[in-house]
Amino acid sequence: PKPVPKKAPPPIVQKAPEFAPVEAPAEPQPTPVTAPSAPSAPATAASSVPTHAEQFTEANFRANYAHNPKPEYPMIAKSRGWQGKVLLKVQVSAEGLSDAVAVDQSSGHEILDESAVEAVKKWKFIPAKRGETPVASSVIVPIIFTLRE
């Protein structure tokens, strides 16, 4: 019998951290932005996905939560009662900086989306790693704008 050639594993495509990976015990929490800001506990665990030769660890924004400022809640959005959730696709460099930030899913209000993009452009990330080597990757960052009564 002839040996069957092994196919290379498919490339890893990062999904939104909105839902916990299969091996993670709990769902990560999105970043809430509230009118009077209330501190919340950050999730600090990095998700990892095994690959053919080396382990691949996804980029992470939660570990730097305290150093990543929340987006400003625009006054006009507050006065009009606008709320929403925006999903941002962030290209993270090997150095942990945001190379590009784009709206993946709009909150429904352009001013909220723009505020989220401007804040996340300044964020620092824990870069993805292939083995021990930092690599560029992309991550989906959820930002929730909520008014408290």
Side-chain angles (χ1 to χ4, degrees):
K2 293 182 183 178
V4 178
K6 290 186 178 181
K7 291 184 181 178
I12 294 177
V13 178
Q14 290 186 347
K15 300 294 182 199
E18 182 76 358
F19 302 101
V22 177
E23 64 269 286
E27 184 174 307
Q29 296 298 313
T31 302
V33 178
T34 55
S37 66
S40 59
T44 57
S47 302
S48 61
V49 179
T51 62
H52 179 258
E54 297 180 286
Q55 186 173 353
F56 182 82
T57 306
E58 293 180 9
N60 187 334
F61 63 92
R62 289 176 183 82
N64 278 347
Y65 195 92
H67 304 292
N68 290 336
K70 291 181 180 181
E72 184 179 322
Y73 209 127
M75 289 304 293
I76 192 164
K78 280 187 198 179
S79 67
R80 294 183 180 179
W82 291 349
Q83 302 182 89
K85 176 179 175 180
V86 58
L87 297 180
L88 301 176
K89 184 170 187 171
V90 184
Q91 298 295 325
V92 179
S93 71
E95 293 77 30
L97 303 175
S98 56
D99 283 341
V101 180
V103 175
D104 191 61
Q105 181 181 329
S106 175
S107 65
H109 303 285
E110 190 174 339
I111 194 164
L112 295 179
D113 297 349
E114 289 173 1
S115 177
V117 167
E118 287 307 309
V120 173
K121 280 181 181 178
K122 300 170 189 164
W123 282 15
K124 295 204 186 316
F125 295 80
I126 304 298
K129 289 187 177 181
R130 187 166 310 283
E132 292 299 314
T133 308
V135 294
S137 66
S138 65
V139 64
I140 299 291
V141 177
I143 304 288
I144 298 177
F145 289 90
T146 306
L147 294 171
R148 300 224 178 209
E149 298 183 17

